[in-house]
Amino acid sequence: MSDVFLSLSGPIHQTFLGVAIALLSANVVLFFRRRMSGKRGDPKVAQRIRTWWITLAIFVVMLSVSQTTAVAFFAFVSFIAFKEFLSLIPTRRADHRVLFWAYLAIPLQYLCVGTHWFGMFVIFIPVYMFMWLPTRMVLIGETKGFLRAIGTVQWGLMTTVFSLSHAAMLLAITPVTTARVAANWPTDLSKESCGAALLVFLVVLTQFNDAAQFCWGKSIGKTPLLPKVSPSKTVGGLVGGIISTVILSGLVGPWLTLMDLPRSLLAGLIIGLAGFAGDISIAAFKRDLGVDENAGSLPGHATTLDRVDSLTYTAPLFFHFIYYCYG
């Protein structure tokens, strides 16, 4: 195991262990429910658990190698998600040259992340690519379907690349040393592992929020929230999921990260609300296209885009919350 992994704080190691125990417990409960009921049960639940096992393994290995590997991994996820996004929407033949520049934006964006070039990181896609892509598209000389085409490419880049890159950029967070920060700094959290702890916190809380809203929706969800967008979303699921996420954030935040209790609770609220918004946005997008949500590249999770839908909203909001408070 590399020195990078060994230098991570104890709570990060314990968080990985806690997630593994939670998944193992879920496997055991699912097994006994099947034995007692004599039925196969919900295959989607078992598939989701298997996918989370895979995600946990990848995440541990990713942080075990180096920060560069972690950034490269998120760049790969952005590439797959952007590719899946474009595969759902027919593009014009004339746009292929424009798509070259859109794909080129992925390594360039993550190069900014890897070099901690914050100034270019926050403006490269929202400003430079926002202006260059329509210009390049106009130079082709085809105006029919222009608005739909450029809107598709730019929304895809913003969602799958710019937004997701904020998760990787958490690794670059270096807190400004103040009396308030020093007073609330966990004793076993090193400066080197601060960004990694924030990244682990974000991903775990985002995934937990998804699972909590799903479970509460199954157990107490009676009133549909957005039946035309996502029939499975209920008021009970949303409220129960957000409350659960805020509670877990309050318990884990001060122990795992540099956040104190008030900011941990606020972070949990941000993640709970933003995760829901990201989920329903991608759901609305797929429902508008008539995409079959039961088929995809990840077991139980339609596509990679579905798996990162909540993260596309939680990552930028959480990053800028942390950057505002501590960066």
Side-chain angles (χ1 to χ4, degrees), residues 60-83:
V60 171
V61 172
M62 173 185 72
L63 290 179
S64 300
V65 182
S66 66
Q67 185 177 120
T68 302
T69 302
V71 173
F73 171 76
F74 275 100
F76 176 72
V77 172
S78 284
F79 169 77
I80 295 298
F82 184 58
K83 186 173 183 294

Side-chain angles (χ1 to χ4, degrees), residues 86 89-100 136-137 139-146 148-150 153:
L86 292 179
I89 304 177
T91 56
R92 304 179 305 175
R93 183 179 298 273
D95 294 334
H96 291 175
R97 297 175 185 177
V98 178
L99 293 181
F100 164 78
R136 183 65 184 90
M137 191 172 289
L139 291 175
I140 296 173
E142 178 62 61
T143 59
K144 185 177 181 180
F146 170 80
R148 181 177 186 273
I150 193 59
V153 175

Side-chain angles (χ1 to χ4, degrees), residues 201 204-205 208-209 243-254 265:
F201 175 86
V204 169
L205 265 291
F208 174 81
N209 179 63
I243 292 176
S244 300
T245 301
V246 170
I247 292 174
L248 181 63
S249 181
L251 293 173
V252 174
L265 294 174

